[in-house]
Amino acid sequence: MAGNTLPFKSNYAVSSRIEPFYKGGKVQISHDEQYIFCTCGPRVNILQINTGKIVHSIEQDDQEDITSFSLSPDDEVLVTASRALLLKQWDWKQEKCTRSWRAIHNVPVASMTFDCTTTLLATGGCDGTIKLWDVVKQYCTHNLKGSCGVVHLVEFHPDISRLQLFSSSVDCGIRIWDLQTSKCICVLESHYSAVTSLAFSPDGQTLISSGRDKICSVWDLKKKAVKKTVPVYETVEGVVLLPGKSDYSQMGVKGEGLHFVTAGSKGVLRVWDSSSARCVFTQTLPDAPALNTEEGDLDPRSLMHLLPMPQSNRLVTVTAEHNILIYQMPALAVQQQFVGYNDDILDVKFLGKDDTHIVVATNSSQLKVFELATNSCQILYGHTDTILSIDVFRKGSMFASCAKDKSLRLWKMHLKSGQVHCVAQSSGHSNAVGSIACSRLKKAFLVSGSQDCTIKVWDLPDPLPDVGCEPVLLTARLTEKAHDKDVNSVTISPNDKLLASGSQDRTAKLWSLADMSLLGVFRGHSRGIWCVQFSPVDQVLATASADGSIKIWSIQDFSCLKTFEGHDASVLKVIFVSRGTQLVSSGSDGLVKLWTIKTNECMKTFDAHQDKVWALHGSSKDDLMVTGSADSTITLWKDVTEEELAEEQAKQEDQVLKQQELSNLLHEKKYLKALGIAISLDQPHTALRVIREIRQQEDGIQELEKILLKLRQDQKESVLRYSVVWNTNSRSCLDAQAVLQVLLTHLSPEEILQYQGTRTHLEGLIPYTERHMQRIGRLLQASMFLDYMWQKMRITGGKDR
């Protein structure tokens, strides 16, 4: 609630958004380790690591997808390649394209990289050719042919004096190109599938390559031969050498030999000793169920990229589900997680003591807990199928989730660390569990509604197990066959005594929670009910239906008290705000609406989503709300009613003061300042009053001319705009014509045409001015006839005398 003096909310403004920023493809870290660059269709998004915010977005004008990009070692130049076969060079900090040229490749560019001097750029095409570009002098220096199929990997040797380029294509070999002769001097053959990554030793004499054939090869670049083949037993997508400066004994690293880290299909990081081909350390995945090794490649936790951050001794991985994880070495503990793509948002709730986090259910089996300050995310594993609904206990540190896997889970957040763990779980339904509700007064029980048409009540043990202990198994205290079709929504009354359920069978029902006895049925919707919600203060129930309406029902006699119609499609969620005096609803039309219950009025419609708004929740302080949509966007809204009211009040006070000042200035005959205030208040009638007073002076025409010419250009534009309106009225047309005479006499046509909307103003002036001229012509004729009559009367009268 905004305050006792403000019973109703009138407006919300978007406070922040969590949007998709990465949908697969290349990822690169800036060399100062401040930013992550990643592709998202026709854009390269630049994410600031410490805030989790997108600070820049480089977008193709032609909306063609970006196939590859590369950031120069000095972090200044970004080059992108698109499906339109164009290469573009960007000043990414200004989001400006500085140069664009044809890629010469006949098909899209699949890979690219800069050399360490930011002079040469290598591009590998899908046509099997590699081209080198002099970025400074802007021309193609080499055209290297000989690779088979897509060149998906190009890398310069770190020692630029060698002038060597390494590449790999679908033939599984690693080609070494001598850039002085433009010839392939050697093909390193060891892998039997695509080579995914290359890592060079600090002295440049050793190369480590990884492949999808589940091995890593250690190469002696002097002899051009394999020194060691390391079996990794998983598809390897990335390999990074451990920098030799730090102490890695915690990771089992002993001795001075080369050690490297691999990332692959099993979703874990492993540290290997290159000399013994032995794994010395394997990272553990907390709270994650075991991987099915047969289908490991398809697991959403499979790691697709591995990138080093040597300055801060960190590593970055990218998962198959487009999540970016940052690990701190030597413990390899997850420090930050960013979710690149959320898919459909099915439910979202505020979490934490002061609503510092939100918990999100997307079209996946993982829950995501976002910290709103940094957008950093925890990913919670446990469910094995899509999570459909979430509900939070009143204090905000515990919440429950339910999923298509017929199970429900209880989660607890550690207040100090913010870490979330599962403390209880259960499965008893015979079909997907579509809705869950937590008790309101105490953390005593849960209620679940399922597609098996039943409702179950689950008692929680007291005390609950601590964070880190094994989750306790819950058993249902009561089970009731509640509806004829899917139960879409369940909600518990504020006093924990009543339960309401809404179903696809077009009815809502009221139950006693003590024994699950049916108290009454709410009938009136013509299609299924998506959401039911108790008022926090009144004995009423709100229902949202696929028939596009919201209804308010009395829970005493089950009659319909109010119906709200305004959505063009299904209403998916409804919540009470402003101490139960208003509603907020969201629908399949992508709209969010604010309703006042007493007047049945829609106060405001918010359009910030492109698809169904499945998720809607209000904060505990009633000053924020969050919405989530099938367009993969989460929007945080802030109640700005109080700010708007204060702004309006200040504006009115300012206008009163200016009106008083205006009267004083007119009394003192300070017309220039008075006219300026009238224009700043945007009051044409007041400006007309000032101009009339000027014209009534003895030398009014000269005074008006002097004042109008002293005005600023924007003020002259306003006076011209006012004159168009004054000119439409015969009472004020003379004042308008006096202003126009001054402006048209002293300003050149070119100067007047620069004013905003001048052409429209002139078109409006011409017909009325012609009408005034015709009227004056008729008056002139009439006055001449009168003069003639008077002359005749004088002559006739003289003869008689």
Side-chain angles (χ1 to χ4, degrees), residues 635-654:
T635 306
L636 195 70
W637 305 81
K638 183 185 177 186
D639 175 19
V640 292
T641 308
E642 214 163 42
E643 288 93 320
E644 284 187 353
L645 195 71
E647 196 177 315
E648 188 63 34
Q649 202 169 346
K651 198 174 177 181
Q652 286 174 359
E653 287 171 4
D654 186 47

Side-chain angles (χ1 to χ4, degrees), residues 33 53 59 131 177 269 524 530:
E33 300 182 3
K53 301 278 191 283
E59 187 162 4
K131 293 182 172 32
W177 303 87
L269 297 177
W530 279 113

Side-chain angles (χ1 to χ4, degrees), residues 35 57 249 271 328 341 381 416 524 547 571 589 605 652 762:
Y35 305 98
S57 189
S249 55
V271 182
Q328 184 66 60
Y341 182 63
Y381 298 93
K416 287 185 180 176
D547 62 13
V571 186
D589 50 11
T605 298
Q652 286 174 359
L762 293 175

Side-chain angles (χ1 to χ4, degrees), residues 504-519:
Q504 206 63 33
D505 66 6
R506 300 179 290 182
T507 66
K509 293 185 179 181
L510 189 69
W511 310 82
S512 168
L513 269 169
D515 55 0
M516 280 304 290
S517 57
L518 181 63
L519 302 177

